[in-house]
């Protein structure tokens, strides 16, 4: 039998284990043109919370009583498709199933020799590409500028910081524990860090850490930290709205200070970044990230949880900040 | 004696006549290299409210007990500068004085034969240039798109609408009276209009007037109308934050729904537009606007108030929406 995980309820507020349902189905058999995949590594990501809502977005919502899906590394264990061979590894948006068949479109082969398989879910996957293209397409980051990053110890934030370092920027990261702040400074090259859970006044804390103001703010969290960043933004500042994890579990429309006055006074740009708008740029992005990884300019953290049955809990733990870097479940 | 108008108090909330002081000084005499200017037309603009605050912005604040200034058309009545002749007309940022001397830098000569002098304060001046460059530099407007404009009957908004029409867009304007809505449809070519003072639900009203959603929102007002526009914004929408008149008289930091979720979900760009960032683009903008004006593709409204002593009241009337198009004081 094949274990699968379905969406049982649409969460209200913070998701719980009750929102997921474990089930079994018969192990599938590939038809002509298909391959049989064995799930090896499952990426859990904050944006999945959005797909649990029944609302239109850049990607369709999950359906009730249907399997969830996310980025997965899988092994081809049987092939009836001449483009794939048994023993090859692929990455792609796949279902939360131990085994599944696929026609092959939308899957990318990954090379186990070039980098560890899990890197293709992180620094060489959607999170690394998000960091690179967000900075490039919206941030227009230049050497010598001050780059502020929230969620700096997270999968995206830690790559954003390292790219900022490669580009010669002054780097300040925001994260939720002193231990994370230490890590981003030691491991990812941040010049300074702010623990938002212990800072009394985030506006002042950012001002102190960024004495020349903030030129580019890479925002993974939204909410009050965005407000504090906006209070320190420079003329011609750019805000990359990449994530808003602080709001994802809110059921009411969240309220905060209006930013239009600052946008006008400081000629600031704010733009939402969604990686799926830039699919044609993935190739060059992965090439650049691979080169940096090979050259030792890029490093990464990951938290690997073991066991297919722990996928939902690993997802929930994201909202508690329990992960260091990319959260991955090894099946 | 020379009449002048000074800033007496920094307004708290809505400015009043008490914030201004009338005074007299000796009529100035030009030195070598200077010209003597007689003020003919004075532009009053919402953005001047910002300069009355003692805070850093893209343009320095007015000083207490010093003359205010704004865009003015003046006649050269005496010249000790070989670049200017007696009887020529100039436009520029000049002081609220009946007569003043100037060295000539920052002044542009205007041609009375090519267009009425007041046009150089409106459709061929900062307001027309703002409309043109805001749409071009931030809006990236394309034919067939839906363009929503707030303050649509105002000096900037009415030009924005007409440029949208020239570009073949679907045009919806927001203004504060049924009479203004009639006027923007009849005079400026808007396809539809919304009276925000009588609409029960601006979000629904915009949805009804823009059945294909909003591609570009040219925002002159900020606040709740911006929120309603954001609720109808399309994927890849662009918001030009040009003005926020609804907030200018607020003393507390205004609060509203957070937009970062919409920015991300819809890949929306919001950017503050300040004309002083684009001084090098003024020439081509004026050329294009002049051509459209000559070809009859562009028309404009203006409200002309008579009398130097009425400059402060004309400014206050802007916040009551008493003007039709550009508000100008004829001295």
């Amino acid at each position: 039998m094949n274990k699968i995980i379905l969406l049982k309820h649409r969460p209200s507020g913070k998701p719980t284990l009750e929102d997921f349902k474990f089930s079994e189905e018969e192990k599938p058999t590939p038809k002509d043109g298909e391959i049989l995949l064995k799930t090896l590594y499952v990426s859990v990501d904050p944006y999945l919370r959005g797909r649990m809502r029944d609302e239109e977005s850049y990607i369709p919502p999950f359906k009730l009583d249907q399997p969830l899906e996310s980025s997965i590394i899988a092994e081809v264990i049987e092939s009836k498709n001449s483009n794939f061979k048994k023993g090859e590894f692929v990455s792609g948006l796949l279902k939360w199933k131990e085994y599944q068949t696929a026609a092959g479109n939308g899957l990318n082969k990954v090379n186990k020799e070039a980098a560890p398989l899990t890197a293709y879910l992180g620094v060489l996957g959607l999170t690394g590409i998000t960091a690179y293209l967000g900075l490039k397409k919206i941030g227009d980051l230049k050497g010598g500028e001050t780059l502020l990053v929230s969620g700096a110890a997270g999968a995206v934030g830690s790559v954003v910081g390292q790219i900022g370092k490669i580009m010669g920027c002054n780097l300040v990261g925001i994260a939720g524990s002193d231990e994370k702040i230490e890590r981003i400074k030691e491991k990812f090259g941040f010049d300074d860090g702010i623990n938002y859970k212990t800072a009394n006044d985030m506006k002042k804390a950012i001002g102190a850490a960024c004495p020349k103001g903030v030129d580019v703010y890479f925002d993974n969290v939204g909410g009050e930290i965005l407000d504090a960043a906006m209070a320190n933004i420079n003329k011609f500042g750019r805000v990359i709205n990449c994530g808003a994890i602080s709001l994802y579990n809110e059921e009411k429309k969240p309220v905060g200070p209006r930013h239009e006055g600052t946008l006008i006074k400081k000629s600031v740009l704010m733009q939402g970044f969604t990686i799926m708008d830039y699919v044609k740029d993935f190739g060059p992005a992965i090439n650049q990230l691979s080169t940096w990884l090979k050259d030792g300019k890029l490093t990464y953290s990951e938290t690997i949880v073991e066991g297919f049955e722990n996928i939902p809990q690993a997802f929930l733990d994201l909202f508690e900040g329990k992960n260091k870097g990319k959260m991955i479940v090894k099946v």
Side-chain angles (χ1 to χ4, degrees), chain A:
Chain A
M1 294 301 282
N2 189 27
K3 286 187 197 159
I4 64 175
I5 304 174
L6 314 170
L7 181 64
K8 190 169 158 193
H9 304 121
R10 299 201 181 278
S12 161
K14 205 174 268 198
T16 69
L17 285 180
E18 296 300 303
D19 298 320
F20 300 90
K21 187 169 129 191
F22 288 86
S23 185
E24 290 192 338
E25 61 176 19
E26 243 177 281
K27 198 168 146 184
T29 315
K31 293 180 218 146
D32 271 356
E34 287 188 340
I35 51 180
L36 179 62
L37 295 171
K38 183 183 181 193
T39 297
L40 299 183
Y41 296 100
V42 177
S43 172
V44 290
D45 306 274
Y47 83 88
L48 299 172
R49 174 66 181 87
R51 292 192 69 187
M52 294 180 177
R53 275 181 223 277
D54 189 18
E55 59 184 44
E56 200 198 345
S57 183
Y58 56 90
I59 191 165
F62 292 126
K63 288 187 180 139
L64 285 176
D65 291 317
Q66 294 292 317
L68 295 105
E69 64 177 13
S70 65
S71 289
I72 282 175
I73 303 289
E75 183 179 354
V76 179
I77 56 171
E78 190 180 339
S79 177
K80 294 184 175 169
N81 178 323
S82 57
N83 296 323
F84 296 88
K85 282 186 205 140
K86 194 181 159 181
E88 288 183 325
F89 299 97
V90 298
S91 75
L93 214 54
L94 290 166
K95 296 197 192 314
W96 289 5
K97 297 182 171 193
E98 284 183 309
Y99 295 89
Q100 59 199 294
T101 55
N105 41 325
L107 296 181
N108 297 303
K109 291 188 196 182
V110 297
N111 180 354
K112 202 181 178 173
E113 314 307 321
L117 284 177
T118 54
Y120 295 97
L121 293 179
V123 68
L124 300 182
L126 293 188
T127 53
I129 299 172
T130 295
Y132 179 79
L133 291 179
L135 281 178
K136 195 177 165 91
K137 297 286 175 179
I138 296 177
D140 189 25
L141 185 67
K142 296 170 200 80
E145 290 191 318
T146 296
L147 170 62
L148 178 69
V149 189
S150 59
V156 173
S158 60
V159 182
V160 170
Q162 293 175 85
I163 296 174
K165 197 82 247 174
I166 293 168
M167 293 188 66
C169 291
N170 183 42
L171 269 187
V172 177
I174 301 168
S177 75
D178 289 346
E179 182 269 330
K180 285 182 179 179
I181 297 299
E182 272 316 295
R183 194 155 42 85
I184 64 171
K185 290 201 271 188
E186 278 171 26
K187 185 158 181 178
F188 302 124
F190 280 79
D191 297 298
D192 204 350
I194 302 166
N195 177 350
Y196 73 88
K197 288 192 180 158
T198 55
N200 282 326
D201 179 331
M202 277 302 288
K203 181 179 159 181
K204 283 185 191 162
I206 294 172
C210 305
K212 290 196 235 163
V214 175
D215 296 304
V216 173
Y217 173 49
F218 197 110
D219 187 21
N220 288 305
V221 303
E224 291 174 10
I225 293 178
L226 170 59
D227 304 338
M230 286 297 281
N232 287 285
I233 197 89
N234 283 339
K235 175 86 182 170
F236 301 120
R238 287 86 72 200
V239 176
I240 303 149
N241 297 104
C242 182
I245 194 171
S246 72
L247 312 179
Y248 289 171
N249 291 328
E250 300 277 341
E251 288 297 317
K252 276 199 211 162
K253 181 100 179 141
V255 164
R258 293 185 173 281
H259 295 307
E260 52 264 40
T262 307
L263 293 176
I264 297 172
K265 257 190 225 168
K266 301 278 185 78
S267 303
V268 168
L269 177 149
M270 292 181 88
Q271 191 172 357
F273 177 84
T274 297
I275 194 170
M276 292 307 166
D277 299 341
Y278 299 93
V279 171
K280 66 172 177 33
D281 300 299
F282 282 14
I286 294 172
N287 285 344
Q288 178 62 76
L289 291 162
S290 303
T291 304
W292 284 333
L293 191 64
K294 238 177 287 173
D295 295 351
K297 291 187 177 170
L298 221 49
T299 182
Y300 58 93
S301 292
E302 53 191 18
T303 298
I304 298 187
V305 172
E306 302 232 351
F308 183 81
E309 66 283 4
N310 290 321
I311 297 173
Q313 186 61 52
F315 170 68
L316 302 183
D317 286 347
L318 288 173
F319 297 97
E320 311 298 332
K322 291 194 182 168
N323 53 310
K324 290 183 189 175
K326 187 77 200 80
M327 181 76 113
I328 291 170
V329 180
K330 182 178 181 186
V331 175

